[in-house]
Amino acid sequence: MNLQVEEPPEKKSKRKKKTSPSPSTSPSFSLLPDEIIVSCLALISRAYYPRLSIISKSFRPLLSSKQLYTARSHIGSTEQCLYVCLSDERYQSPQWFTRKKKNKTLGKSLAPIPSSDSPSISKSTVVVGSDIYVIGGPIKTEPSCPSSAIRILDCRTHTWRDAPSMIVARNDSLTCFYDGKIYVMGGCGDDDEPWAEVFDIKTQTWERLSDPGNAIRNICRCNFYTIIGMKGTIHFWNSYRAYAYDTSQDNWESMIDGGVWYHCIPKSACEIDGVWYHMSYGPYDFRWTREGEKWKAVKGLDSLIKMYNRNGGSSSNKTKLVSCCGKLLLLWEGYMKHNPNNRKKILCTEITLETDDEGEVWGNAEWIDVVQSVPTQCELLNCLVVSV
């Protein structure tokens, strides 16, 4: 026999429907301690930070805080970001851009960021941590006028600040960051002025270096290939001779015919895991080298070279090659065939690299696209990669 037991009426009436908690009692992420919020934000890609700052005002000071970027560095979630500077006659100051976030990947276009109010169009730039230092002149309104000013772009917050000025005003000086200091050489005119000086990041002070002598002073900066710091020495060179500055002894040395393997590394070269890469213009091709070895061709990029030539690539147009996230990024100015609006395009390609069993390096252009359309008088000034 089946017995059906019916609940008393009073129990039926007491049964309540499930309801969602009222907004006032809902848990809120913002109620968590800042330390926990910072730990969570550090796990998120920096490209999403602008959206988070819109969603919650309480996030804004944390998203630009030193604690957040310290946490990102501690857990190894720093990202390499591309920064591009374009000089345009329509604006007094150069315009800065970074790669735009698109869905879950980096997009193939550039997004503007706040630019400095400084009119400097200096090509002397150096990356220190998450900062870009723009060093000296020339000044856009007076190209022949050097400057001693130093402007810093904080790539965490996209804000600008001043650093102490150099001892001497300079134009397009040789610049490199090595062992916690910024070394600046040349770019000045008078013989009685210090040809080189160094900036200590910790003490925020400039100090003049010993005089290198007329042999180095009389060489124009445009004749130098590049400058790098290695093994306690600052090296800079041209196609005929290499020079070195000993940072511990404060003295200079000249080496005929280079004297070191890397004296032939050009200004456009960049380095990935001890291998140097650059784009050659006669004939056009990509090359690579390691310490003590000769330059060799990167294989597999013939179609990219043809695309580069068809889209305005040449030694007369500005071309920049940088390493980012273990890949090469090639940016160049390309003129449009049908150009009623007097504009040109900035193109970019991303190149992956692989070494085969025989030690040959192969490249593959993953994509080629226009990242920005600009007036023809616009110049591709600087291209840098910063870890933030």
Side-chain angles (χ1 to χ4, degrees), residues 70-296:
T70 300
R72 287 174 62 84
S73 177
H74 180 71
I75 64 175
S77 63
T78 54
E79 303 169 67
Q80 287 192 320
C81 302
L82 175 70
Y83 284 85
V84 176
C85 180
L86 302 176
S87 177
D88 192 335
E89 292 181 1
R90 298 174 301 168
Y91 303 106
Q92 183 177 4
S93 303
Q95 305 298 296
W96 284 82
F97 300 81
T98 188
R99 289 177 75 180
K100 185 183 296 184
K101 185 74 178 181
K102 186 177 181 181
N103 298 327
K104 295 183 179 181
T105 61
L106 283 172
K108 300 174 184 177
S109 60
L110 300 176
I113 62 173
S115 295
S116 169
D117 56 4
S118 169
S120 171
I121 52 173
S122 173
K123 296 177 183 177
S124 300
T125 55
V126 64
V127 175
V128 180
S130 57
D131 293 331
I132 295 175
Y133 283 67
V134 181
I135 297 173
I139 303 301
K140 187 170 185 178
T141 52
E142 300 179 55
S144 61
C145 180
S147 173
S148 61
I150 309 293
R151 293 287 283 165
I152 302 174
L153 170 60
D154 187 333
C155 297
R156 299 170 301 182
T157 60
H158 290 164
T159 55
W160 290 86
R161 68 182 188 274
D162 291 314
S165 297
M166 291 184 289
I167 300 171
V168 175
R170 304 173 186 272
N171 273 346
D172 288 332
S173 54
L174 287 166
T175 308
C176 79
F177 176 68
Y178 178 70
D179 196 24
K181 297 179 180 180
I182 298 176
Y183 290 84
V184 182
M185 302 176 182
C188 52
D190 297 338
D191 290 341
D192 58 346
E193 294 178 332
W195 189 80
E197 53 188 299
V198 60
F199 181 67
D200 191 309
I201 299 296
K202 288 185 178 180
T203 63
Q204 293 287 291
T205 55
W206 287 95
E207 180 182 354
R208 65 180 63 196
L209 303 180
S210 61
D211 192 274
N214 292 332
I216 294 179
R217 275 183 172 273
N218 294 336
I219 298 176
C220 297
R221 179 203 181 277
C222 60
N223 290 331
F224 284 119
Y225 277 2
T226 192
I227 177 173
I228 59 174
M230 294 179 66
K231 301 177 182 179
T233 306
I234 307 299
H235 298 272
F236 54 104
W237 56 86
N238 56 26
S239 56
Y240 305 103
R241 189 183 296 261
Y243 302 89
Y245 170 77
D246 190 318
T247 60
S248 62
Q249 301 297 322
D250 189 26
N251 59 31
W252 304 80
E253 182 182 1
S254 173
M255 292 166 283
I256 299 175
D257 297 327
V260 286
W261 71 273
Y262 40 79
H263 78 278
C264 58
I265 295 177
K267 289 184 286 188
S268 61
C270 63
E271 182 259 348
I272 302 177
D273 297 332
V275 180
W276 286 88
Y277 299 90
H278 89 99
M279 188 171 184
S280 173
Y281 293 107
Y284 290 109
D285 65 355
F286 285 88
R287 295 182 176 272
W288 67 275
T289 185
R290 291 189 183 94
E291 183 171 354
E293 298 181 7
K294 295 181 179 180
W295 286 97
K296 301 177 182 179

Side-chain angles (χ1 to χ4, degrees), residues 331-342:
L331 291 93
W332 74 94
E333 301 174 355
Y335 292 100
M336 301 179 179
K337 293 182 179 179
H338 305 288
N339 191 10
N341 297 321
N342 199 30

